[in-house]
Amino acid sequence: MRPLNKGNTPTDATGNVIAPTDYKNWRKALIERIGYYCVYCNQPLSHSLQVEHVVPKNPPPGYTAGDPIAWSNMLLACGPCNNAKSNNPVDANIYYLPEEHNTHLPFSIVLSINPDHAIVAAKAVPDVLAAQQQKAEDTIDLLELDNIDERPAIVDIRSLKRKAAMLSVQSARQVYDMAVASPTYNANVVATDIARRAADSGFFSLWYEEFMNEPLVMERLTDNTIIQGTATNCFDPANGYKPIPRNPANIADPI
Ligand SMILES: [Zn+2]
């Protein structure tokens, strides 16, 4: 999953902090901040783009309610992620969250048993510690990121769109390799083109994985002028923009 910047509260033309009376009115500012993607599964959203409360406004008894309207508690989500998350308590100590962690690091996107679908899986030990793997699995459970909806009246199309993104990445790689070998190869043009394809495709982890060893492509994939909102502090410009932990002071779990 793509790690996100923490956004500043939007201001109007005169610099005053905007304070809508309906949380849904944050939608435009959220799109400007993070694009039209679900922050959890990273699918691109064309409609039914839901303003979601990170910490639920109606949590179960015993848990602190999130602010019902504050900018700092709002993100964009697709219906299936928002519905799965529902009013479950949310805690950055229990789950990997896109504004708190480098959410690229603990997850993989893999084909399911049915190869028409791709699902999210926790990275395997030893790539991550056992506790990190458990936290990733709990996050997958929270958001049902491994769900395959086989009902005739399918609603959750995340697994199908993930598979389509996999195919887009594969063909982008083929075109990239041909371009590099071409006498008219222009590295800037090609790298920017890949980032724009990624912007259309979403599911950014697939693109990071495929182009991990191509620094210029990684630079463009994490460039906020092409795909806005990505937490650039989760990628190391001194090392080819490879993903790095976001919480290095946390020895137990720097992710
Ligand atoms: Zn989603």
Side-chain angles (χ1 to χ4, degrees), residues 38-43 77-82 145 158:
C38 174
V39 301
Y40 299 114
C41 70
N42 290 173
Q43 70 167 316
C78 70
C81 284
N82 202 9
L145 294 173
R158 293 174 295 179

Side-chain angles (χ1 to χ4, degrees), residues 1 41 103-112 118-125 127-128 133 136-137 140 145-146 162 166 203-206 209:
M1 291 195 286
C41 70
T103 38
H104 174 65
L105 293 174
F107 302 103
S108 297
I109 295 179
V110 297
L111 281 181
S112 91
I119 57 174
V120 178
K123 279 254 171 69
V125 175
D127 288 347
V128 294
Q133 185 184 50
E137 285 174 357
I140 291 165
L145 294 173
D146 56 356
R162 253 186 232 108
M166 270 186 167
F203 301 102
F204 303 103
S205 278
L206 290 167
E209 285 295 328

Side-chain angles (χ1 to χ4, degrees), residues 43-55:
Q43 70 167 316
L45 300 169
S46 56
H47 62 285
S48 73
L49 189 152
Q50 301 182 2
V51 177
E52 101 99 9
H53 294 79
V54 179
V55 179

